[in-house]
Amino acid sequence: MFPETIQECLYPFKAEKLFIDYQKLAVCTGLGHYSPYIKLVLHPDFGPWISLRGLFLTKEILELTGPLTTPVPCLTCYKPCLRACPVKAVTETNYDFYQCAIYRNLETDCLSSCHVREVCIIGPEHAYSTEEGLHRNKSSMETLRMYYKIAKI
């Protein structure tokens, strides 16, 4: 797609005119599977090491790909993610984002990377560098503090 065909850009972190669930859109277009445990889109090659940062609207007719037809990898995995979180924020039935945010606000071992992401068996070679992890986690922590009204420590 060429820049002149882009009509508009939307971003999930801005107050946009309409709500778009980027994760559902990514799954519907075949970008990956939604993990029922870590609540992220898992790309077949990059695993949890992708970010959904924007959406381009165009009048171009694009080829439809549809969702992946392969099984969700989490369902047959030995699930190291369920044991990796220091505060057990991730379980078979829940991801306690509040508990995660409270811990991340107080402790430093989650500053540059999420333990749960680190142990995912898909795409570990694509893990963020320490510098990139620090940048991304700083940004997400600011969002969590605003959402949960957590004071910065």
Short mmCIF file of all heavy atoms in Angstrom, two decimals, residues 21-28 31-43 52 68 70-75 95 97:
data_model
loop_
_atom_site.label_atom_id
_atom_site.label_comp_id
_atom_site.label_asym_id
_atom_site.label_seq_id
_atom_site.Cartn_x
_atom_site.Cartn_y
_atom_site.Cartn_z
N ASP A 21 -11.35 -2.57 18.47
CA ASP A 21 -10.63 -3.58 19.25
C ASP A 21 -9.52 -4.11 18.35
O ASP A 21 -9.76 -4.96 17.49
CB ASP A 21 -11.59 -4.69 19.68
CG ASP A 21 -10.94 -5.67 20.62
OD1 ASP A 21 -9.72 -5.91 20.50
OD2 ASP A 21 -11.65 -6.22 21.48
N TYR A 22 -8.32 -3.61 18.53
CA TYR A 22 -7.19 -3.97 17.68
C TYR A 22 -6.86 -5.45 17.76
O TYR A 22 -6.44 -6.05 16.78
CB TYR A 22 -5.97 -3.12 18.04
CG TYR A 22 -6.08 -1.70 17.51
CD1 TYR A 22 -6.96 -0.79 18.07
CD2 TYR A 22 -5.31 -1.29 16.45
CE1 TYR A 22 -7.07 0.49 17.58
CE2 TYR A 22 -5.41 0.01 15.95
CZ TYR A 22 -6.30 0.88 16.53
OH TYR A 22 -6.41 2.15 16.03
N GLN A 23 -7.02 -6.03 18.94
CA GLN A 23 -6.72 -7.46 19.08
C GLN A 23 -7.71 -8.30 18.29
O GLN A 23 -7.31 -9.22 17.58
CB GLN A 23 -6.68 -7.85 20.55
CG GLN A 23 -5.49 -7.23 21.25
CD GLN A 23 -5.26 -7.81 22.63
OE1 GLN A 23 -6.07 -8.55 23.17
NE2 GLN A 23 -4.13 -7.46 23.21
N LYS A 24 -9.00 -8.01 18.40
CA LYS A 24 -9.99 -8.77 17.62
C LYS A 24 -9.77 -8.58 16.12
O LYS A 24 -9.88 -9.53 15.35
CB LYS A 24 -11.41 -8.35 18.01
CG LYS A 24 -11.86 -8.94 19.31
CD LYS A 24 -13.31 -8.61 19.61
CE LYS A 24 -13.70 -9.18 20.95
NZ LYS A 24 -15.04 -8.75 21.34
N LEU A 25 -9.46 -7.37 15.73
CA LEU A 25 -9.20 -7.10 14.32
C LEU A 25 -7.99 -7.89 13.83
O LEU A 25 -8.02 -8.48 12.76
CB LEU A 25 -8.99 -5.60 14.11
CG LEU A 25 -8.83 -5.14 12.67
CD1 LEU A 25 -10.06 -5.48 11.83
CD2 LEU A 25 -8.56 -3.65 12.63
N ALA A 26 -6.93 -7.94 14.65
CA ALA A 26 -5.73 -8.70 14.28
C ALA A 26 -6.05 -10.18 14.12
O ALA A 26 -5.59 -10.82 13.17
CB ALA A 26 -4.64 -8.50 15.33
N VAL A 27 -6.85 -10.72 15.02
CA VAL A 27 -7.22 -12.14 14.93
C VAL A 27 -8.10 -12.39 13.70
O VAL A 27 -7.88 -13.34 12.95
CB VAL A 27 -7.93 -12.60 16.22
CG1 VAL A 27 -8.54 -13.98 16.06
CG2 VAL A 27 -6.95 -12.59 17.40
N CYS A 28 -9.06 -11.51 13.45
CA CYS A 28 -9.96 -11.67 12.30
C CYS A 28 -9.23 -11.58 10.97
O CYS A 28 -9.67 -12.17 9.98
CB CYS A 28 -11.07 -10.62 12.34
SG CYS A 28 -12.28 -10.90 13.62
N LEU A 31 -3.58 -12.18 11.65
CA LEU A 31 -2.28 -11.79 12.16
C LEU A 31 -1.78 -12.75 13.24
O LEU A 31 -0.59 -12.92 13.44
CB LEU A 31 -2.33 -10.36 12.71
CG LEU A 31 -1.01 -9.75 13.13
CD1 LEU A 31 -0.02 -9.70 11.97
CD2 LEU A 31 -1.23 -8.34 13.68
N GLY A 32 -2.69 -13.39 13.92
CA GLY A 32 -2.30 -14.33 14.97
C GLY A 32 -3.51 -14.88 15.68
O GLY A 32 -4.65 -14.65 15.29
N HIS A 33 -3.23 -15.62 16.75
CA HIS A 33 -4.28 -16.16 17.62
C HIS A 33 -4.33 -15.35 18.90
O HIS A 33 -3.30 -14.85 19.36
CB HIS A 33 -3.97 -17.62 18.00
CG HIS A 33 -4.12 -18.59 16.89
ND1 HIS A 33 -5.34 -18.94 16.38
CD2 HIS A 33 -3.21 -19.29 16.18
CE1 HIS A 33 -5.18 -19.84 15.42
NE2 HIS A 33 -3.88 -20.06 15.27
N TYR A 34 -5.49 -15.26 19.51
CA TYR A 34 -5.63 -14.59 20.80
C TYR A 34 -5.33 -15.61 21.89
O TYR A 34 -5.92 -16.68 21.93
CB TYR A 34 -7.05 -14.04 20.95
CG TYR A 34 -7.25 -13.24 22.21
CD1 TYR A 34 -6.68 -11.97 22.33
CD2 TYR A 34 -7.98 -13.74 23.27
CE1 TYR A 34 -6.86 -11.23 23.49
CE2 TYR A 34 -8.17 -13.00 24.42
CZ TYR A 34 -7.61 -11.75 24.53
OH TYR A 34 -7.78 -11.01 25.67
N SER A 35 -4.40 -15.27 22.76
CA SER A 35 -4.07 -16.17 23.86
C SER A 35 -5.11 -16.05 24.95
O SER A 35 -5.32 -14.96 25.48
CB SER A 35 -2.70 -15.84 24.45
OG SER A 35 -2.53 -16.56 25.66
N PRO A 36 -5.76 -17.15 25.33
CA PRO A 36 -6.76 -17.07 26.39
C PRO A 36 -6.13 -16.81 27.76
O PRO A 36 -6.84 -16.49 28.71
CB PRO A 36 -7.42 -18.45 26.35
CG PRO A 36 -6.40 -19.35 25.73
CD PRO A 36 -5.61 -18.49 24.79
N TYR A 37 -4.82 -16.91 27.87
CA TYR A 37 -4.15 -16.74 29.16
C TYR A 37 -3.47 -15.38 29.30
O TYR A 37 -3.71 -14.65 30.25
CB TYR A 37 -3.12 -17.86 29.39
CG TYR A 37 -3.72 -19.22 29.16
CD1 TYR A 37 -3.24 -20.05 28.18
CD2 TYR A 37 -4.82 -19.65 29.91
CE1 TYR A 37 -3.81 -21.30 27.94
CE2 TYR A 37 -5.41 -20.88 29.67
CZ TYR A 37 -4.90 -21.70 28.70
OH TYR A 37 -5.48 -22.91 28.46
N ILE A 38 -2.63 -15.03 28.33
CA ILE A 38 -1.87 -13.79 28.48
C ILE A 38 -2.55 -12.59 27.83
O ILE A 38 -2.05 -11.48 27.87
CB ILE A 38 -0.41 -13.93 28.00
CG1 ILE A 38 -0.32 -14.24 26.51
CG2 ILE A 38 0.30 -14.99 28.81
CD1 ILE A 38 1.11 -14.24 25.98
N LYS A 39 -3.70 -12.82 27.22
CA LYS A 39 -4.54 -11.75 26.67
C LYS A 39 -3.82 -10.90 25.64
O LYS A 39 -3.99 -9.69 25.56
CB LYS A 39 -5.10 -10.86 27.79
CG LYS A 39 -5.77 -11.60 28.92
CD LYS A 39 -6.91 -12.46 28.45
CE LYS A 39 -7.61 -13.14 29.62
NZ LYS A 39 -8.27 -14.35 29.27
N LEU A 40 -2.99 -11.54 24.83
CA LEU A 40 -2.29 -10.89 23.73
C LEU A 40 -2.50 -11.69 22.46
O LEU A 40 -2.82 -12.87 22.50
CB LEU A 40 -0.78 -10.83 24.01
CG LEU A 40 -0.32 -9.98 25.17
CD1 LEU A 40 1.16 -10.22 25.44
CD2 LEU A 40 -0.56 -8.50 24.88
N VAL A 41 -2.29 -11.02 21.33
CA VAL A 41 -2.29 -11.72 20.05
C VAL A 41 -0.93 -12.39 19.91
O VAL A 41 0.11 -11.76 20.11
CB VAL A 41 -2.55 -10.76 18.88
CG1 VAL A 41 -2.40 -11.47 17.55
CG2 VAL A 41 -3.94 -10.13 19.00
N LEU A 42 -0.95 -13.68 19.59
CA LEU A 42 0.29 -14.43 19.38
C LEU A 42 0.47 -14.65 17.88
O LEU A 42 -0.29 -15.38 17.26
CB LEU A 42 0.23 -15.79 20.09
CG LEU A 42 0.09 -15.75 21.60
CD1 LEU A 42 0.01 -17.17 22.15
CD2 LEU A 42 1.23 -15.00 22.23
N HIS A 43 1.47 -14.01 17.34
CA HIS A 43 1.81 -14.18 15.93
C HIS A 43 2.46 -15.56 15.76
O HIS A 43 3.20 -16.00 16.65
CB HIS A 43 2.78 -13.07 15.50
CG HIS A 43 3.11 -13.08 14.06
ND1 HIS A 43 4.13 -13.85 13.55
CD2 HIS A 43 2.55 -12.43 13.01
CE1 HIS A 43 4.20 -13.65 12.25
NE2 HIS A 43 3.25 -12.80 11.89
N LEU A 52 0.33 -3.75 18.40
CA LEU A 52 -0.73 -3.24 17.53
C LEU A 52 -0.84 -1.75 17.81
O LEU A 52 -1.49 -1.33 18.74
CB LEU A 52 -2.04 -3.98 17.82
CG LEU A 52 -1.94 -5.50 17.76
CD1 LEU A 52 -3.21 -6.16 18.26
CD2 LEU A 52 -1.60 -5.96 16.36
N LEU A 68 -6.67 -17.16 11.20
CA LEU A 68 -5.83 -18.35 11.02
C LEU A 68 -6.69 -19.60 11.20
O LEU A 68 -7.62 -19.62 12.00
CB LEU A 68 -4.70 -18.37 12.05
CG LEU A 68 -3.68 -17.23 11.95
CD1 LEU A 68 -2.66 -17.35 13.08
CD2 LEU A 68 -2.98 -17.25 10.61
N THR A 70 -5.18 -22.58 11.82
CA THR A 70 -4.41 -23.49 12.67
C THR A 70 -4.95 -23.44 14.10
O THR A 70 -5.56 -22.45 14.49
CB THR A 70 -2.93 -23.11 12.66
OG1 THR A 70 -2.82 -21.74 13.08
CG2 THR A 70 -2.32 -23.28 11.28
N PRO A 71 -4.72 -24.48 14.89
CA PRO A 71 -5.20 -24.46 16.29
C PRO A 71 -4.51 -23.38 17.11
O PRO A 71 -3.37 -23.01 16.85
CB PRO A 71 -4.82 -25.85 16.82
CG PRO A 71 -4.50 -26.68 15.63
CD PRO A 71 -4.08 -25.74 14.54
N VAL A 72 -5.20 -22.88 18.11
CA VAL A 72 -4.62 -21.91 19.04
C VAL A 72 -3.49 -22.62 19.79
O VAL A 72 -3.73 -23.62 20.47
CB VAL A 72 -5.69 -21.39 20.03
CG1 VAL A 72 -5.07 -20.43 21.04
CG2 VAL A 72 -6.83 -20.72 19.28
N PRO A 73 -2.25 -22.15 19.66
CA PRO A 73 -1.12 -22.86 20.26
C PRO A 73 -1.19 -22.99 21.78
O PRO A 73 -0.68 -23.96 22.34
CB PRO A 73 0.10 -22.04 19.82
CG PRO A 73 -0.43 -20.72 19.41
CD PRO A 73 -1.84 -20.93 18.98
N CYS A 74 -1.83 -22.07 22.44
CA CYS A 74 -1.91 -22.10 23.91
C CYS A 74 -2.66 -23.33 24.43
O CYS A 74 -2.42 -23.78 25.55
CB CYS A 74 -2.62 -20.86 24.43
SG CYS A 74 -1.78 -19.33 24.02
N LEU A 75 -3.55 -23.87 23.61
CA LEU A 75 -4.37 -24.98 24.09
C LEU A 75 -3.60 -26.29 24.19
O LEU A 75 -3.99 -27.18 24.95
CB LEU A 75 -5.59 -25.14 23.18
CG LEU A 75 -6.48 -23.90 23.07
CD1 LEU A 75 -7.66 -24.16 22.16
CD2 LEU A 75 -6.95 -23.42 24.44
N TYR A 95 -6.67 -12.97 33.90
CA TYR A 95 -5.46 -12.15 33.91
C TYR A 95 -5.81 -10.94 34.76
O TYR A 95 -6.62 -10.11 34.37
CB TYR A 95 -5.07 -11.72 32.50
CG TYR A 95 -3.67 -11.12 32.42
CD1 TYR A 95 -2.74 -11.65 31.55
CD2 TYR A 95 -3.29 -10.03 33.19
CE1 TYR A 95 -1.46 -11.11 31.45
CE2 TYR A 95 -2.02 -9.50 33.11
CZ TYR A 95 -1.11 -10.05 32.24
OH TYR A 95 0.15 -9.52 32.16
N PHE A 97 -5.12 -7.74 35.69
CA PHE A 97 -4.33 -6.59 35.26
C PHE A 97 -4.04 -5.64 36.42
O PHE A 97 -2.98 -5.03 36.48
CB PHE A 97 -5.05 -5.84 34.13
CG PHE A 97 -5.07 -6.60 32.84
CD1 PHE A 97 -6.19 -7.32 32.46
CD2 PHE A 97 -3.97 -6.59 32.01
CE1 PHE A 97 -6.20 -8.02 31.28
CE2 PHE A 97 -3.97 -7.29 30.81
CZ PHE A 97 -5.09 -8.01 30.45
#
